[in-house]
Amino acid sequence: GTPLQNNLLEYYHMVSYVKPGALGKVRAFKELFEESISGGQLRADGTDADAAARKKRMNKRVWALSKKLDALVQRKGMGILRAELPPKYEYVLTLRLGETQRQLYNAVLGVHNP
């Protein structure tokens, strides 16, 4: 996922690095956005009405944060880059370990050879 989906505080710091002060002080950001958005994502015990209210607050805060950053952050999906990037190739090579490599490998695993 994106930083906005994964970690709002990380997102705050990324934006602040590019444009210091754009999201205000970290404490205010946490109160205004992080708590509401994270609280809306939690599946805590409560009534369906509580969950619906949390989700509604979360959606409002996500919308407000997105609008605040529209001019600064370009949210593009991977699909846009696929046409520009060469195809990805992965190779799996199996090689025998040399004696020193085997000793180090066994040491990491805690295996003792006689």
Side-chain angles (χ1 to χ4, degrees):
T2 65
L4 182 57
Q5 294 167 327
N6 295 334
N7 185 326
L8 284 173
L9 200 52
E10 179 181 324
Y11 190 74
Y12 169 87
H13 289 293
M14 287 176 18
V15 171
S16 293
Y17 180 79
V18 174
K19 187 170 183 181
L23 295 175
K25 303 279 185 195
V26 71
R27 185 179 190 135
F29 177 82
K30 283 181 176 182
E31 291 173 3
L32 190 58
F33 296 107
E34 187 182 36
E35 292 172 8
S36 296
I37 293 172
S38 296
Q41 293 173 338
L42 295 177
R43 297 175 192 252
D45 292 334
T47 66
D48 287 340
D50 291 340
R54 281 194 308 274
K55 185 167 180 143
K56 186 175 182 178
R57 278 193 304 274
M58 176 190 74
N59 288 337
K60 284 183 179 181
R61 292 288 86 201
V62 168
W63 182 86
L65 181 58
S66 295
K67 288 297 169 199
K68 186 175 184 79
L69 295 172
D70 271 349
L72 180 64
V73 177
Q74 294 182 4
R75 291 180 224 16
K76 305 290 184 202
M78 188 62 188
I80 260 189
L81 296 175
R82 280 200 183 99
E84 303 295 324
L85 296 173
K88 178 181 175 181
Y89 296 103
E90 293 185 21
Y91 301 93
V92 177
L93 302 175
T94 304
L95 305 171
R96 290 195 174 126
L97 298 177
E99 186 55 36
T100 304
Q101 292 169 318
R102 183 175 309 286
Q103 289 172 358
L104 289 169
Y105 180 75
N106 288 337
V108 168
L109 295 179
V111 176
H112 300 288
N113 288 337

